[in-house]
Each structure stands twice: as C-alpha cells, then as structure tokens.
Amino acid sequence: MSVEILSLIVAILAVLFMLFTVKAKIMPLSAGNDRMVQISNYIRNGAMTFLKREYKFIAIFVVIVAILLGIFINVKTMVCYILGSVLSMLAGFIGMRVATASNVRCANEAKESGQNGALKVAFSGGSVMGMAVTGLGFIGIILTYLYFKDPTILMGYSLGASSVALFARVGGGIYTKAADLGADLVGKVEAGIPEDDPRNPAVIADNVGDNVGDVAGMGADLFESYSGAIISSMTLGAVYFAEAGVGFTLYLASIGILASIVASLIFLAREHKNPQKSLMGTLYISGIIVLVAAFILSNKYFGNYQAAFAVITGLVAGIIIGLLTEVYTSDKYKHVKHISKESSTGVATNIIAGLSTGMLSTVFPILVVAIAIMLAFNLMGVFGIALAAVGMLSITGITVTVDAYGPITDNAGGIAEMSYLPENVRDITDGLDSIGNTTAAIGKGFAIGSAALTALSLFITYSESINLEEISILDSKVVAGMFIGGMLPFLFSALTMNSVGKAASQMIEEVRRQFKEDDQILAGKKDPDYENCISISTTASLQEMVVPGILAIVVPIIVGKILGPYALGGLLAGALVTGVMMAIFMSNAGGAWDNAKKYIESGVEGGKGSDAHKAAVVGDTVGDPFKDTSGPSLNILIKLMTIVSVVFAGLFV
C-alpha cells in the first residue's frame, strides 16, 4: 500500500475519532438545568451567528481570489485554494459547534461529579478541534497530492488555509477583545460587579468571544500552520530528495496524528489528581511516539538518522519555547510577581513592568529558534529546516486539544456564575481555567516557533521558485524591501489594535446606556439586552478585519511587481524578523499582565478592590488585544505574505 493511501487512512481515522468523541463522550452528558441551557444557548447562538456572517464575507473573498488565480496562475492552483479555504472553515465550524456544546456539560459535570468529570469533558471538546484541524487538513493535502502529483501545486491549498486563518484570527480577536473590554471596564471597574455577572449586558458577548477567538480563530491559525509546514516540507523534499522527501514527510505527519489519538485515549481512560501534569503528559507521550517513529523512518528513507535529529530539533525547540513562555507569563515565576508588585504604585508602573517583561521575553525564544535553524540546516540543509517545522507541528492534534480546552473551562465558569450554581462549582472551573492559561501559553509558544520555521522554509521555497541564490543588502531595492517588510508587522499591529479600540468603544457605550436607562438591570430584577451587545461586537469586528486582512495579500504583490523579486525577498526577510519579535513580545506581555491581575486577585498586594488590583485591571485591559488579537495574528501575517509570494512568483520574474 502506498504512503499516500496509508496517510489518507490515518487522516480519515482522525475524523472518525472526532465523531466518536462527540457521539460517545460529549453529547450523551446532561446539559444541566433550564437556566444553564438558556445561558448556553445564548452563547451558542451568538457564536454561530458571528461565524456564519464571518464566513459569508470570507466566501466572497475566496471566490474573488480564486477567479484571479484561475486567470493569472492556473486552474489547478485555484482548485487547491478553494479546497484549503473550505476545509479550514469546516474545521472551525465543527470545533466551535462542539465547544459551545461542551461548555455547559463541563459546568454540569463540575457540579455533579467534580473536577475529574469536568476536566474530561473540556478535554474531549478540545480534542474535537484538534482532530478537525489535523484530520481535515491532512485529508485535503493527500487528496490534492494524489490527484495532481505535484507538491508545488499544493501551495494554493496553503494559501487558502492562510487566507481563512488571517480573517478568522483578526475577526475573532477583535470580537473577543471588544466584548471583554466592554464587560470589564464598565461592569467590573465602573459598576463594581463581579466577572461573568449576569447583570452585565456584555457578559454573553464576552463568552461568545472566547469561542470565536480562542477556538475557531486558534483552530484556523494552526490548520494553516500545520498545512503550510507539511506542504513546504513535501515541496523541498521533492526538490532535494525526490520521493524519499515526500514519503518521509507524509509518514511523519501520519504518526503525529496517531500519537495524538493515543495520547487522548490514555488521558480519557485515567483519573486525574493533577490536571496540569496530566495535560502536559499528553504532549510528552505524543512527542515521544513521534521521536521514535522519526528514527525508524529516517533510517528507512535516508539510511541515517539526520532527518530524525532535524525533527527532534523542531519538536524540542517548540517545547522549550512553550516552557519559556510559561516562565514569563505564569505567577509561579518572578516576572509576573514583579508586575504585581509594581501595580501597587499605580497604572504607569504596571504598564512599564508589563512592557519590559514582554520585550525581555523575546531574548531566549529567539536564541532557541536561531539554534534550531542552524542545527536543522547542518543536518539536512534547507529540507532540515522544513522538517524542524513539521516536527514542531507533528503533534498539532494534541497541542490544539490542550489549547482549546481552556476556552471551554472559561465558558463553563461563566455559565456556573450566571446560572447561580454553588460556589464550589466555580472554584473547580476556575482552577481548570487557570491550568488552561498555562497550556494556552505553551500552545502559543508552539505557534510562534512554528511560524518562524514555516515562514523560513516557505521563504526558501520562494527562492527556489525564482532561482534566487542570494540577496545583496548592497542592492537599494532589496534594502527598501527589507524596510517595508520590517514595518508591516507594526502597521498590522496598529491597525488591529485600533480596531479593537473602536469596537470596544461601541461596546462600552452600549453597556453604559443599558445601565443608565434601566436601573432594574443592576438591581438584578431584569436581564439586560445581551443580543444587542453580541450584534455590536459582531458587526464591528467584521468591518474592522477587512483592511488588515487584505493588506497581507496585496502588499507582497505590489512590491513584487514594482520593485521586483529580489526586493520582495528583502520584504519577506524583514517581515519575518520583526514579525516574530513582535508576536513574542505582544503575546507574552499580554499574558503576563493577565496573570498579574489574577495573582493580585488571589490575595497579594491587597487583593481584589485594592489600588494594585485596579492598576492590574487596566494593565490586563491593555494586554488583552496584545495577546489575543495582534500577537497571534502576526504569526499568520508572516506566513501568508510568504505563501502569496510563492504562488504569484511567476508574475514577478
């Protein structure tokens, strides 16, 4: 049996495991009492309304780009582009549909059977997203490769996945942070009501945002990273090692999916006294399986273990970057404690401490990426760099699982609060949500590291496609391209941050209006108008995501046509360097501010209501769009611009 058919069987197995999880592990569980079902339906309907409206816009964009690809490139690339776009949207739809069904069941299990039951429901819900990303992504890659037998054509598939990912990340990020800011600044700071209080008009929109940003958006992000890494590795593997390069890549990706399924089954079969240790254990189990398989496959295809060591380089680098992310964002370490201490002297010192922590957090991850690049290149040349990216993303199934687990537990806590469940239920969900912050940090570490390696391997693919052997910084056009590329992540971040601010302003005004016009809302005698807040956040986010999304596609084409392919190479290099730096800085600064606030809420520096807490809330508010909108979107920006350059390379020569 060929490697392609075996890979297709494994990809289908991932989808079957996803369906089994939904039918056997999630939907048979009780959704709780009528109030819980009502709140859950608010969240579910709001999330699906947003997704449908967002997908309508994306569908129009996809059709326009597909027509242009058919006219200026070729029909094969157009077909791959459409398939990549459709499967990415389908993965996001399935993941969010199940996540919004899992949240209420997680809350009910916390009430009925305690921490262990709630943990397994949240993990099961996350695994659906993980299997949808890897299963559907891999199915699309295999089918297109089987049909066209040309890995370079698959760049169209990657372009489709990247297009959807950018809009999903930006749109979802703007939505969730606009709702979050409205809920926090008016509800918690001005009105003095607790988080997730049902009296807050923005509270449902806030919970919807957890799904559209951290489930659908994150899923589309990693669908794109996963597909891009595999396709880049197949392309470079075919160039330098013919069928051996392609076969090794496909087998490795298949083993990664199987390893994620095995780790998930082991997790679901056991009781868990230490949830964080158990969740981290799934990453280690799946990673070890991939490493063992890499040695066997490396010896089979290349007669040595160099390819295996290149894979190890990427996998270890991803884990190290994830752990480093935790060092700068967890209250177990000095950096978050320092921000908490600085909060006691006011907002300004809190902001300064958070910014400096974010900047400092770039140092060691960048060194890890640099070392990984050099080691991988020395082992297998440019193909080694692509393998390092595949190694990092081979366990995407389980990485997405432990990442998507977080928003489900967060939503469960909100449902518990709004449904007036016993306090111990909220304690359980908050504890699980806190662990989710750590797993999410590790997931972001993998996303950032893989973005750097994947973008670099795609850059090499671009160089191959136009026979670019070197770029001279003595060439004025190359230098101009580098400066333009270095500027783009800053422009992109400014646009997305401003978009959050505009959308949040509308949300804040709406929450204030409802409190002012109806005093029965704060008295708890009447439910606020949740639907209006959901509508405001949806409309604003969809309007604001257009310019940043189009920017990533249009600018490389303009630079390539006007300044030429060498200048475009300079642009990609400049964007890669500043984009990775900015992504690490913004994600970690935001995470540190968030956990500094929670650390103070645990009782230090005066606890809730203290001046330090008020300063920390402001810092967390600033950090929210850093870590959930602009930072994660930069990962996609640098990859999308490179893929656009590869697909349209023929127009620039």
Side-chain angles (χ1 to χ4, degrees), residues 29-260:
L29 299 173
S30 171
N33 59 42
D34 291 342
R35 173 69 176 174
M36 294 170 68
V37 172
Q38 179 189 31
I39 298 298
S40 175
N41 285 339
Y42 279 139
I43 297 170
R44 186 188 189 109
N45 293 338
M48 298 316 297
T49 297
F50 169 83
L51 202 64
K52 288 174 183 176
R53 287 182 59 182
E54 181 182 55
Y55 281 4
K56 282 180 182 177
F57 169 82
I58 294 175
I60 295 170
F61 177 84
V62 166
V63 169
I64 294 171
V65 174
I67 292 171
L68 294 175
L69 286 171
I71 294 171
F72 293 106
I73 308 300
N74 55 60
V75 174
K76 293 178 181 178
T77 301
M78 179 188 76
V79 171
C80 290
Y81 173 77
I82 293 171
L83 184 62
S85 302
V86 170
L87 288 178
S88 178
M89 288 191 283
L90 180 60
F93 178 86
I94 292 170
M96 194 157 77
R97 188 84 179 169
V98 175
T100 52
S102 302
N103 53 18
V104 68
R105 288 164 174 81
C106 179
N108 193 59
E109 283 297 297
K111 178 170 73 79
E112 298 294 336
S113 57
Q115 176 181 274
N116 198 64
L119 174 64
K120 288 188 176 183
V121 174
F123 183 90
S124 296
S127 72
V128 170
M129 186 77 251
M131 290 301 112
V133 165
T134 53
L136 294 176
F138 204 34
I139 283 174
I141 291 170
I142 300 301
L143 288 178
T144 47
Y145 182 67
L146 279 170
Y147 188 78
F148 295 117
K149 284 294 182 183
D150 182 2
T152 59
I153 295 295
L154 292 179
M155 283 298 167
Y157 183 91
S158 188
L159 177 61
S162 295
S163 301
V164 173
L166 189 65
F167 286 117
R169 252 309 185 190
V170 173
I174 294 169
Y175 182 107
T176 185
K177 291 305 106 182
D180 199 7
L181 291 177
D184 283 356
L185 290 180
V186 183
K188 289 168 66 176
V189 177
E190 294 181 10
I193 58 178
E195 187 168 3
D196 291 321
D197 193 298
R199 293 173 291 175
N200 193 327
V203 71
I204 297 294
D206 187 14
N207 280 275
V208 169
D210 291 334
N211 293 286
V212 301
D214 295 337
V215 177
M218 178 273 298
D221 183 352
L222 284 169
F223 183 101
E224 177 256 0
S225 296
Y226 181 73
S227 301
I230 293 173
I231 290 168
S232 178
S233 182
M234 289 173 67
T235 304
L236 292 173
V239 170
Y240 292 99
F241 296 96
E243 292 183 6
V246 175
F248 181 85
T249 301
L250 292 179
Y251 266 128
L252 190 69
S254 300
I255 295 297
I257 290 176
L258 292 175
S260 297

Side-chain angles (χ1 to χ4, degrees), residues 14 46 60 95 196 283 305 500 554 585:
I60 295 170
D196 291 321
L283 291 172
Y305 298 112
V500 170
V554 171
F585 157 61

Side-chain angles (χ1 to χ4, degrees), residues 410-454:
D410 191 7
N411 264 203
I415 291 170
E417 182 78 27
M418 288 181 275
S419 302
Y420 311 108
L421 297 185
E423 191 172 334
N424 71 303
V425 175
R426 186 64 196 257
D427 290 341
I428 290 171
T429 58
D430 281 354
L432 294 176
D433 183 30
S434 176
I435 295 166
N437 289 333
T438 301
T439 58
I442 291 169
K444 281 175 180 159
F446 268 90
I448 292 168
S450 65
L453 292 175
T454 304

